[in-house]
Amino acid sequence: MSNSKGTNIKVLVRVRPLLPREEALEDESSKQCLITMPVESPMTTILKVPTTSTFHSQKNKQNRPGSPSISEEEFKKYTFDESIWSFDRHQDNFVDNSAFYEKTGPDIINHFFQGYNVCLLAYGQTSSGKTHTMMGNRNDPGLIPLIIKDILGQKELLINEKINCEVKISYIEIYNEQVNDLLGSEESTKCRVREHPITGPYVENVKDFIVNDYDDFKNLLNKGNLKRSTASTSMNDKSSRSHAIITLTLKQTKFADADSSLDIGDADEEMVSNIKLVDLAGSERLAKTKVYGQQDRIKEGTLINKSLSVLGRCINLLSANSSNPNSKPALVPYRDSILTYLLKENLAGNSRSFMIFCVSPIDFEETYQTLNYATQVKTIKTAARANKTKLSTIPVQWDLLRQSDQDAITSLKQEVQELTDKLKRMESSEQTPSSASDNFNKLINYLENETRRLRFENKYLKNQLNKKDKEVEELNKHVNYIDHEFDEFAFQIQQIQSDSVSQEKNHLQVNCQTTVEELEKELEMFDPVRAF
Ligand SMILES: Nc1ncnc2c1ncn2[C@@H]1O[C@H](COP(=O)(O)OP(=O)(O)OP(=O)(O)O)[C@@H](O)[C@H]1O
């Protein structure tokens, strides 16, 4: 396993445009954009402190007599990994979802295929643009669909390198501190969270599905989105009332190079990585979302805020731990909410993590808080490592079962028969049931791997055949072209030849004519009639 200790969480800040309800505000000053992201400095975000803000008035109160008073215009300057300007589409530095993806996507996809666990998380107050950034819409698809498209494309390309990729998807939401499986069967979709000693917390019995192509993904995403808890609030017509986590798991099996380039050989390396795509519910103030009297909405809002404040505490402590590496690290309360418990590895463990902080252009208090949060996150380090396993180091004795000079399927059928007989014999002798079932499990494991290998071989050969077909098609086109060129050439030569023969004939005719004329003139001189 390769180690890369201490990679900082990558922090990106995005400001959204004014919403129609904000555009409609009558007071011009309340719809002035408070954020600037200078074109020449793509990492910088500048936040203007309005004179009306409580922050401004607090500072004024703290000003001791005699000290310089706060200027009318005060600005806060921040530096992040990227500052994404999506406020005004008429400006040169405007970034829509696909341009945003071009900036971050390749990095994410590379880490994922290199075997690292990856997490991409969108944070921000309600209606700041998290769902727009992550999911997008038909005209401007978000990061999640764009990432999946590229992953599926890359999966096909890797067949040429004898790498088989299996992509699986699961989709959950955390709603009122409870995990729901959004792709699960209709009735009971509630799941428990458990902790694996090595890989960390996970959701038990969550359903995952193989994704072969983009249509598979779209169908599953739509199914999950329909189940996700959303509601209309005064801040957002379709506000996410839950934290949503889509997890893609990629299993790459590399087959060794065999003697013949068409033979895929044995699987000799396996990498399993996952990518968590997280769209958080927005932090909100009851006063702003105006959900008074709606008990369900209030309970949701309180639990959303609770889990986000635990996330805040965890980030605070992780940031303090990273800043003081020599002092005893403080205990981080991941278990205080389901969200932080499930994100434990992504916040401090084996993960390359990216956090997108979405902000409103006109809400100073919330934006200020979000940017300060983002500043803390910048200092947090995770310890990602590529999850490679050399398969040759795993003792699989079942290889002995293979008889290379026999047809694979006949041989496997025989082996199954023999081992089933052996199992029966062992069951009736002194073998303990557990060791017998252990052997049986190993056999099943072996057969599953073998089936996977043969399936991939089939896919690989089909792919090679397609490639060859394409090459033949290209060559045929070339041959046709050369044939055509040849015909053209032959015609031209004929033309030139016939041209030059007629030219020569003309020339000879002219010569003959001249000679005849000369001879006639000479003859005239000897004409006796002319002489007298
Ligand atoms: N970058 C953007 N470009 C255009 N429209 C945007 C952008 N960001 C957000 N919006 C619009 O703003 C509104 C709120 O955005 P969105 O639903 O993504 O917010 P949210 O942060 O997910 O909110 P909540 O936490 O309440 O779910 C939507 O109508 C969305 O289309």
Side-chain angles (χ1 to χ4, degrees):
M1 285 191 177
S2 63
N3 263 310
S4 88
K5 271 202 178 143
T7 315
N8 282 79
I9 293 183
K10 209 164 176 186
V11 173
L12 311 116
V13 168
R14 185 183 200 189
V15 58
R16 67 155 168 77
L18 288 178
L19 303 177
R21 69 173 158 77
E22 294 168 339
E23 298 260 23
L25 292 174
E26 276 172 14
D27 175 12
E28 282 299 320
S29 67
S30 62
K31 54 182 179 185
Q32 287 223 326
C33 182
L34 301 174
I35 294 199
T36 332
M37 291 178 175
V39 186
E40 65 287 357
S41 173
M43 295 161 86
T44 306
T45 296
I46 299 168
L47 174 66
K48 182 177 170 188
V49 185
T51 42
T52 49
S53 84
T54 50
F55 175 85
H56 201 282
S57 44
Q58 268 168 17
K59 273 212 142 185
N60 267 331
K61 270 186 221 148
Q62 284 164 9
N63 263 1
R64 275 184 239 114
S67 64
S69 68
I70 287 183
S71 64
E72 280 293 300
E73 303 239 295
E74 197 192 333
F75 296 92
K76 300 260 149 210
K77 192 171 170 191
Y78 302 85
T79 307
F80 301 108
D81 291 295
E82 296 259 5
S83 291
I84 314 287
W85 180 252
S86 304
F87 177 73
D88 182 354
R89 63 171 54 252
H90 302 295
Q91 286 173 324
D92 286 348
N93 54 340
F94 175 80
V95 175
D96 62 6
N97 278 342
S98 60
F100 186 10
Y101 177 72
E102 272 165 35
K103 284 170 183 272
T104 47
D107 223 14
I108 292 172
I109 304 278
N110 278 344
H111 291 323
F112 188 40
F113 276 90
Q114 281 162 7
Y116 292 98
N117 292 339
V118 182
C119 175
L120 176 66
L121 183 144
Y123 177 96
Q125 74 171 109
T126 182
S127 87
S128 57
K130 299 179 294 295
T131 306
H132 181 88
T133 300
M134 297 300 272
M135 301 286 182
N137 54 41
R138 195 183 288 256
N139 299 327
D140 193 12
L143 300 187
I144 292 180
L146 295 172
I147 283 176
I148 309 256
K149 250 193 193 148
D150 268 1
I151 288 176
L152 294 172
Q154 179 73 359
K155 166 179 171 274
E156 290 307 305
L157 288 179
L158 284 176
I159 296 177
N160 288 325
E161 292 176 32
K162 297 185 179 171
I163 297 176
N164 183 35
C165 297
E166 186 183 84
V167 180
K168 283 187 174 173
I169 185 171
S170 69
Y171 190 4
I172 59 154
E173 69 170 355
I174 305 170
Y175 176 67
N176 285 353
E177 281 302 276
Q178 167 71 53
V179 178
N180 292 328
D181 185 352
L182 296 178
L183 301 180
S185 57
E186 311 317 314
E187 305 96 48
S188 171
T189 54
K190 292 190 166 58
C191 302
R192 277 170 45 169
V193 178
R194 291 187 167 275
E195 185 154 0
H196 184 276
I198 295 169
T199 52
Y202 65 98
V203 182
E204 192 180 46
N205 293 334
V206 71
K207 280 219 162 47
D208 54 7
F209 294 85
I210 290 185
V211 181
N212 287 314
D213 53 37
Y214 193 69
D215 282 343
D216 283 352
F217 162 73
K218 252 187 358 200
N219 293 337
L220 291 164
L221 184 72
N222 288 342
K223 183 178 169 188
N225 281 347
L226 281 177
K227 276 195 178 177
R228 188 176 175 194
S229 309
T230 56
S232 179
T233 67
S234 71
M235 294 286 284
N236 191 350
D237 295 339
K238 200 161 182 274
S239 177
S240 310
R241 313 302 293 168
S242 65
H243 307 301
I245 306 182
I246 291 182
T247 307
L248 297 169
T249 309
L250 171 70
K251 181 168 166 183
Q252 299 177 79
T253 312
K254 182 157 179 47
F255 290 88
D257 258 336
D259 293 343
S260 146
S261 67
L262 288 181
D263 193 343
I264 63 156
D266 284 327
D268 72 346
E269 196 173 85
E270 204 168 83
M271 275 199 297
V272 182
S273 47
N274 66 55
I275 179 164
K276 276 194 197 136
L277 303 162
V278 189
D279 177 16
L280 294 180
S283 57
E284 56 190 28
R285 305 229 168 110
L286 290 189
K288 277 192 179 164
T289 46
K290 299 198 175 105
V291 290
Y292 315 108
Q294 301 173 46
Q295 291 314 314
D296 287 355
R297 294 285 94 82
I298 292 175
K299 183 180 171 199
E300 280 166 3
T302 316
L303 287 171
I304 291 171
N305 286 348
K306 183 199 151 201
S307 60
L308 290 173
S309 77
V310 177
L311 178 64
R313 276 214 315 279
C314 291
I315 286 175
N316 205 299
L317 289 167
L318 284 167
S319 164
N321 287 349
S322 297
S323 314
N324 307 304
N326 296 327
S327 35
K328 192 176 168 226
L331 207 64
V332 183
Y334 300 109
R335 280 172 176 262
D336 284 3
S337 85
I338 300 269
L339 175 72
T340 44
Y341 194 26
L342 278 178
L343 293 181
K344 182 177 166 193
E345 280 297 309
N346 308 102
L347 289 173
N350 178 14
S351 171
R352 289 263 164 105
S353 298
F354 298 72
M355 278 178 83
I356 305 167
F357 289 86
C358 296
V359 292
S360 144
I362 55 171
D363 189 334
F364 172 77
E365 309 287 339
E366 299 274 5
T367 299
Y368 177 60
Q369 242 179 38
T370 304
L371 294 181
N372 285 343
Y373 223 21
T375 307
Q376 279 192 334
V377 171
K378 271 194 328 181
T379 61
I380 302 177
K381 284 183 166 34
T382 57
R385 57 181 181 273
N387 306 309
K388 276 188 201 172
T389 313
K390 276 264 173 239
L391 290 182
S392 48
T393 59
I394 298 174
V396 182
Q397 284 137 23
W398 299 98
D399 269 358
L400 298 172
L401 295 170
R402 286 207 290 151
Q403 295 171 13
S404 55
D405 55 351
Q406 271 191 354
D407 173 72
I409 296 169
T410 329
S411 137
L412 285 172
K413 274 186 184 164
Q414 269 179 9
E415 303 302 345
V416 173
Q417 190 54 50
E418 275 171 26
L419 281 151
T420 315
D421 292 346
K422 205 169 161 186
L423 188 65
K424 278 186 191 148
R425 281 201 301 279
M426 284 193 306
E427 273 174 347
S428 55
S429 70
E430 77 281 7
Q431 284 273 345
T432 60
S434 73
S435 76
S437 77
D438 222 34
N439 282 343
F440 197 69
N441 282 342
K442 278 185 185 167
L443 171 67
I444 290 185
N445 220 356
Y446 166 73
L447 291 176
E448 273 175 2
N449 282 341
E450 199 55 17
T451 314
R452 206 172 298 134
R453 192 182 76 81
L454 289 171
R455 264 206 204 118
F456 180 66
E457 189 154 58
N458 193 346
K459 193 152 80 171
Y460 174 72
L461 290 173
K462 266 192 195 148
N463 188 279
Q464 295 296 306
L465 203 66
N466 270 346
K467 259 174 61 182
K468 293 278 173 235
D469 277 353
K470 278 201 186 121
E471 273 172 34
V472 169
E473 205 177 304
E474 275 300 303
L475 282 174
N476 276 339
K477 274 190 202 154
H478 211 66
V479 167
N480 281 344
Y481 172 76
I482 288 174
D483 271 354
H484 178 77
E485 285 288 287
F486 184 78
D487 286 349
E488 276 284 300
F489 210 54
F491 177 75
Q492 276 176 15
I493 288 177
Q494 217 175 18
Q495 196 77 23
I496 291 169
Q497 274 175 346
S498 77
D499 280 359
S500 76
V501 166
S502 71
Q503 255 180 15
E504 190 70 13
K505 209 167 106 192
N506 281 346
H507 189 65
L508 278 174
Q509 261 175 357
V510 171
N511 273 356
C512 278
Q513 187 70 28
T514 326
T515 315
V516 168
E517 280 170 14
E518 279 173 7
L519 281 172
E520 274 177 355
K521 272 188 199 155
E522 279 178 28
L523 271 174
E524 264 177 23
M525 288 173 56
F526 293 102
D527 189 347
V529 181
R530 283 199 146 210
F532 297 100

